[in-house]
Amino acid sequence: MIFKRMLGAFGVGGPSVDTVLATPRVQPGGTLHGEVRVKGGDFDAEIEYVALGLVARTESEHGDGEYVGLVEFDRVTVSGPFSLRTGQDMVIPFQTTVPWESPISEVGGQRLHGMALGVRTELAIAAAVDKGDLDPLVVEPLPSQEAVLRAFTQLGFRFKSADLETGHIRGVHQQLPFYQEIEFYSPPAYSGRINEVELTFVTNPGGFDLILEADKRSGGHSHGGDAFAHWQSDHHGASHRDWAAEIGNWLAALSQGGHGVFHSGHHDPYAHGGHGGHYEGHHEGHHGGGPGWGTVAAA
């Protein structure tokens, strides 16, 4: 994948740069390979550095409004100072590890609506910095994350959208300044009792925290409001757990007006950096079959 551009900060005839991603699709914790190709312009130039930044579009709330902006969540310098002569070609190979908490932007070949990730090449000459454009980057789920997402299709959920919220989740060790929310429409089985469910992964080399937020409708035995659940799992174990059963049991308890061991409805992990209820059950086993994620994402 090749992206070409003139570095406009340096005027007409300045250097140009191509960013070549050998791995345009990565997983959290994976390695991004590629090279930066710099071509000299109409004049000699002293390059101070070349850097790459991983950038994401995030949302944040300030006062009465919601603001959308770009946040650089990882950065690597791929070259220090060097001289670039007129018309000279320079190739700078690079490899960098993608953060484990990187948000998912594509599942089963389907882009998650609302997600925007990119690689931004930055080149500096004599204190003038050109950040260039964003080159698209795709982050696919780990097998452990995909096991959870597959459970949502098995339960009949339909994908709605995804976004990145600025802030931290209380009670969860989080390194990035934002967290991802993947939103689903509730399946017909919970119609009239649960509107939507939002899913958040906070991933690390050993496993992940899984936080679910359900928007409960009022009526009957339910008082409405939000309910939360919090699971922890290692990556290997996640691939063998019956997530459809575990999540389904929690939803069934909520739809009947119960709170269970999830401490739902009273501990908001997203408010004031809060902590959600922790689910203590460990139901091993694999739950296969069901519709593919592509069907859900397309919907």
Side-chain angles (χ1 to χ4, degrees), residues 198 200 210-214 227-231 250 254 261-265 267 269-270 276-279:
E198 295 180 350
T200 295
L210 169 64
I211 299 96
L212 299 184
E213 176 183 359
F228 301 88
H230 178 191
W231 285 263
W250 174 62
L254 291 181
V261 297
F262 299 92
H263 304 159
S264 61
H267 298 268
Y270 304 106
H278 182 84
Y279 181 69

Side-chain angles (χ1 to χ4, degrees), residues 29-150:
T31 303
L32 184 66
H33 295 270
E35 60 186 27
V36 177
R37 301 173 183 175
V38 184
K39 182 176 182 59
D42 296 339
F43 52 85
D44 294 347
E46 296 298 321
I47 308 299
E48 295 184 357
Y49 66 84
V50 179
L52 297 176
L54 300 185
V55 180
R57 184 181 64 192
T58 63
E59 298 179 1
S60 60
E61 295 182 1
H62 297 283
D64 297 330
E66 188 172 70
Y67 298 88
V68 177
L70 293 179
V71 172
E72 184 178 85
F73 62 95
D74 195 44
R75 180 181 177 86
V76 59
T77 299
V78 298
S79 174
F82 64 91
S83 298
L84 185 68
R85 303 306 176 195
T86 301
Q88 180 185 1
D89 293 322
M90 176 75 69
V91 177
I92 307 169
F94 68 85
Q95 66 176 42
T96 182
T97 301
V98 175
W100 283 94
E101 293 180 20
S102 295
I104 298 167
S105 63
E106 184 176 291
V107 180
Q110 298 289 332
R111 186 181 72 86
L112 297 188
H113 174 71
M115 296 306 304
L117 305 178
V119 179
R120 183 166 59 192
T121 306
E122 184 175 298
L123 186 147
I125 300 177
V129 178
D130 195 309
K131 293 182 178 292
D133 300 323
L134 285 181
D135 303 328
L137 175 67
V138 174
V139 178
E140 299 176 316
L142 293 161
S144 56
Q145 296 172 318
E146 195 165 7
V148 176
L149 295 171
R150 187 166 55 247

Side-chain angles (χ1 to χ4, degrees), residues 127-207:
V129 178
D130 195 309
K131 293 182 178 292
D133 300 323
L134 285 181
D135 303 328
L137 175 67
V138 174
V139 178
E140 299 176 316
L142 293 161
S144 56
Q145 296 172 318
E146 195 165 7
V148 176
L149 295 171
R150 187 166 55 247
F152 271 75
T153 69
Q154 294 163 0
L155 290 168
F157 282 88
R158 294 184 299 114
F159 172 73
K160 177 183 177 183
S161 64
D163 60 17
L164 302 179
E165 298 286 342
T166 303
H168 287 77
I169 301 174
R170 186 174 62 190
V172 176
H173 180 67
Q174 181 184 336
Q175 294 184 330
L176 295 187
F178 55 76
Y179 54 87
Q180 183 178 30
E181 291 183 338
I182 303 176
E183 303 176 18
F184 296 88
Y185 291 113
S186 178
Y190 304 105
S191 177
R193 292 167 291 178
I194 299 174
N195 292 318
E196 300 173 357
V197 174
E198 295 180 350
L199 178 158
T200 295
F201 289 112
V202 180
T203 310
N204 58 68

